[in-house]
Amino acid sequence: MLLMPMIGFLITHYDARKIIAFGFLIIGVATLRMMRFNLGVDFRTMMWARVFQASGIAFLFVPINTAAYAYLPREKNNAASGLINLSRNIGASVGISFVTTMLARRTQFHQSVLISHLSAYNGHFMNTVRTLTYHFIALGADAVTASRQAYGAVGGMMTQQSTLLAYIDNFWLLGITALMWFRLRLS
């Protein structure tokens, strides 16, 4: 929001297509940087990543709307406004549906890969279960309950990790897509 006045000024001096391309560049780089997130990421890191990404969005909305109305007769503004809003809503709905579907599919994929390592033949896995079982026994659980809690804890870690990996996959896909749009806008 703070960038909107500056972008309004830039539109009067530069081609809107170049400003839009710059917006796609910022969004692409910001989204690809989000691939560095891990389960220990703090709020400050996520906040600044989102601020960086949102600054790119500012370079899209003002120039797109300006370009849409630039050569339009005044009597057609209402119809154009309706079409722009319809397109934006449909685009957002399709985009959200796509990302949600990709998150679900990639989470399932990563779960299937990670779960293949959770077996009695994997020494690291069995050591983790044993350590967690002792931990839960120390907290007052009986051996059977502690063992179930340990397996549940490992399952929870696997679910968290597969979800994070799915988000990283989506960050990659969206970042590359934005950079492709950047490249198309420059040509």
Side-chain angles (χ1 to χ4, degrees):
M1 196 166 143
L2 297 173
L3 292 173
M4 299 281 184
M6 181 189 74
I7 295 167
F9 171 78
L10 290 174
I11 287 177
T12 61
H13 292 64
Y14 298 98
D15 184 14
R17 291 174 293 188
K18 290 184 180 180
I19 297 171
I20 292 168
F22 183 68
F24 278 121
L25 176 66
I26 291 174
I27 290 170
V29 170
T31 306
L32 290 176
R33 284 183 47 106
M34 293 167 114
M35 289 178 58
R36 297 180 182 171
F37 286 177
N38 60 43
L39 291 175
V41 68
D42 63 334
F43 176 77
R44 171 181 245 140
T45 303
M46 287 194 300
M47 182 208 52
W48 283 112
R50 184 68 180 122
V51 167
F52 184 40
Q53 186 183 36
S55 65
I57 293 171
F59 284 91
L60 296 180
F61 282 114
V62 174
I64 287 171
N65 282 331
T66 302
Y69 290 105
Y71 301 104
L72 198 64
R74 285 203 180 271
E75 63 272 1
K76 295 192 178 185
N77 277 350
N78 288 340
S81 175
L83 285 174
I84 289 170
N85 287 327
L86 175 68
S87 299
R88 188 177 294 148
N89 287 336
I90 289 174
S93 297
V94 169
I96 290 168
S97 297
F98 176 76
V99 168
T100 303
T101 301
M102 290 305 297
L103 277 174
R105 288 183 179 177
R106 296 305 294 173
T107 299
Q108 289 174 347
F109 168 76
H110 288 296
Q111 280 179 352
S112 69
V113 170
L114 292 174
I115 207 161
S116 69
H117 299 287
L118 304 181
S119 75
Y121 301 109
N122 184 324
H124 182 70
F125 167 68
M126 292 310 294
N127 188 36
T128 302
V129 169
R130 202 170 15 262
T131 303
L132 286 171
T133 301
Y134 293 142
H135 171 74
F136 290 125
I137 288 173
L139 292 176
D142 62 89
V144 173
T145 303
S147 177
R148 287 182 185 158
Q149 289 174 327
Y151 279 103
V154 171
M157 288 184 245
M158 186 265 312
T159 300
Q160 287 177 339
Q161 197 64 246
S162 61
T163 302
L164 173 70
L165 292 171
Y167 272 96
I168 289 172
D169 291 348
N170 272 298
F171 292 150
W172 179 84
L173 180 63
L174 295 172
I176 294 298
T177 302
L179 291 177
M180 286 173 41
W181 276 102
F182 162 72
R183 182 71 185 121
L184 286 173
R185 290 290 165 217
L186 285 182
S187 50

